[in-house]
């Protein structure tokens, strides 16, 4: 709630490197391999998604996001799956102007690409208890790649990144 996710992530990952160095090193090496083999591919996917939205009259900003080695390890442990079965190591945040553009963007992606079942969450209509809002979905996107997408407005993005501090910023500027 206080926007300390970056600090939490850094502390978790530093602790992980001390408490389970072998697992962290394996995940880090695998992430490097994935990045090296998909760098051009990720840029192509981003360009394709931006073009699809522009063709449909939606102006959006894209931001990539990457899970930390510790959050990857924790998810592997919780779901009892291998790294290869995780679909959200790298994902996209699509930032649009307003809530109706969030839903329009979702509709565009779901009509153009196949949605992955059980990978849809609407935290705009039903925010999390900490007031987090975003639409999460996953598609079989360009080049038949699994693509995780979070769709939100700039205000929602600031709140997700900085917590209540960003809410205070908006209130004080009114």
């Amino acid at each position: 709630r206080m926007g300390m996710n970056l600090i939490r992530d850094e502390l978790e990952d530093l602790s992980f490197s001390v408490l389970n160095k072998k697992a962290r090193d394996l995940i880090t090496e695998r992430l490097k391999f994935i990045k090296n083999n998909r760098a051009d591919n990720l840029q192509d996917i981003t360009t394709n998604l931006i073009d699809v939205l522009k063709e449909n009259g939606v102006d959006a900003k894209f931001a990539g996001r990457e899970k930390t080695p510790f959050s990857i390890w924790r998810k592997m442990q919780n779901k009892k799956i291998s790294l290869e079965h995780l679909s959200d190591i790298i994902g996209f945040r699509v930032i649009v102007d307003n809530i109706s553009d969030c839903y329009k963007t979702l509709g565009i992606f779901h009509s153009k690409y196949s949605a992955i079942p059980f990978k849809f969450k609407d935290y705009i209509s039903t925010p999390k208890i900490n007031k987090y809002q975003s639409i999460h979905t996953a598609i079989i996107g360009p080049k038949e790649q699994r693509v995780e997408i979070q769709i939100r407005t700039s205000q929602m993005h600031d709140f997700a990144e900085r917590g209540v501090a960003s809410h205070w910023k908006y209130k004080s500027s009114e």
Side-chain angles (χ1 to χ4, degrees):
R1 288 186 185 180
M2 294 173 46
M4 299 189 66
N5 292 346
L6 291 175
I7 294 169
R8 183 206 61 207
D9 290 347
E10 185 177 353
L11 287 173
E12 284 177 343
D13 204 46
L14 287 169
S15 299
F16 186 42
S17 69
V18 171
L19 298 174
N20 198 341
K21 183 173 175 24
K22 185 176 177 182
R24 186 184 185 282
D25 289 347
L26 285 169
I27 291 169
T28 303
E29 286 303 312
R30 184 70 182 139
L31 288 175
K32 283 180 192 172
F33 176 78
I34 290 168
K35 274 191 210 174
N36 290 338
N37 290 321
R38 292 184 66 191
D40 291 342
N41 200 9
L42 288 174
Q43 186 56 49
D44 291 345
I45 291 170
T46 304
T47 301
N48 186 293
L49 294 176
I50 289 170
D51 290 346
V52 166
L53 290 179
K54 281 184 181 175
E55 289 167 10
N56 288 278
V58 176
D59 186 34
K61 295 179 195 125
F62 273 69
R65 65 158 183 82
E66 184 177 309
K67 283 187 171 293
T68 64
F70 177 74
S71 65
I72 291 168
W73 179 81
R74 179 176 47 212
K75 193 165 197 175
M76 289 168 51
Q77 299 302 307
N78 290 341
K79 295 194 174 223
K80 301 193 183 334
I81 56 176
S82 69
L83 184 60
E84 285 72 27
H85 288 99
L86 285 180
S87 60
D88 63 344
I89 292 170
I90 297 171
F92 297 96
R93 289 189 176 126
V94 181
I95 302 165
V96 295
D97 293 332
N98 53 56
I99 291 174
S100 61
D101 281 348
C102 289
Y103 289 104
K104 183 176 180 181
T105 298
L106 176 69
I108 291 165
F109 287 151
H110 280 190
S111 61
K112 172 86 174 168
Y113 306 106
S114 297
I116 298 173
F118 310 110
K119 290 287 190 175
F120 171 76
K121 293 183 183 120
D122 184 351
Y123 295 118
I124 293 176
S125 67
T126 311
K128 287 187 176 186
I129 194 164
N130 66 356
K131 309 285 190 237
Y132 171 86
Q133 290 184 292
S134 187
I135 296 172
H136 294 195
T137 191
I139 58 173
I140 305 297
K143 300 189 176 196
E144 301 301 311
Q145 293 286 332
R146 291 173 64 106
V147 180
E148 296 271 335
I149 301 171
Q150 297 173 353
I151 306 164
R152 57 177 73 147
T153 65
S154 294
Q155 187 173 359
M156 291 172 194
H157 183 65
D158 285 345
F159 188 85
E161 296 294 307
R162 296 190 256 304
V164 293
S166 68
H167 182 67
W168 172 81
K169 180 184 105 176
Y170 280 103
K171 287 293 183 190
S172 66
S173 65
E174 291 179 353

